[in-house]
Amino acid sequence: MQLAVMKPGQEGTIARIDTAAGPIKRRLMDMGILAGERVRVEKVAPLGDPLEVSIKGYRLSLRKKEAEGIHVEVSP
């Protein structure tokens, strides 16, 4: 499931990152968005952009476009 379509309160493990290569992917990796990391959606703006996620004990906001390239295995 794409991170961009997850609802607040859902969590899972990052399976892969298909975001465009280059500086955007590097920035996501620098923020701790790596395969195998646990992620939880905290809030989503009314129009779905941006969304706030919790990862590695801190929160960060992602643009919907960035979150569409992050695939997550959702926990039941």
Side-chain angles (χ1 to χ4, degrees):
M1 171 184 282
Q2 291 179 335
L3 182 60
V5 297
M6 291 174 64
K7 307 276 187 236
Q10 281 189 305
E11 59 184 72
T13 303
I14 297 172
R16 68 178 195 277
I17 302 169
D18 289 340
T19 300
I24 294 173
K25 187 172 185 175
R26 183 70 217 174
R27 187 173 71 90
L28 292 173
M29 292 172 69
D30 287 346
M31 291 189 296
I33 299 175
L34 301 168
E37 290 293 336
R38 300 281 303 164
V39 63
R40 175 184 167 93
V41 176
E42 299 293 341
K43 299 176 189 172
V44 178
L47 297 177
D49 191 20
L51 61 135
E52 182 178 305
V53 299
S54 177
I55 186 168
K56 290 187 172 184
Y58 61 90
R59 294 181 178 193
L60 60 101
S61 292
L62 295 172
R63 294 182 183 114
K64 186 175 181 180
K65 186 77 174 176
E66 295 167 339
E68 288 174 344
I70 300 169
H71 296 269
V72 177
E73 293 178 15
V74 178
S75 301

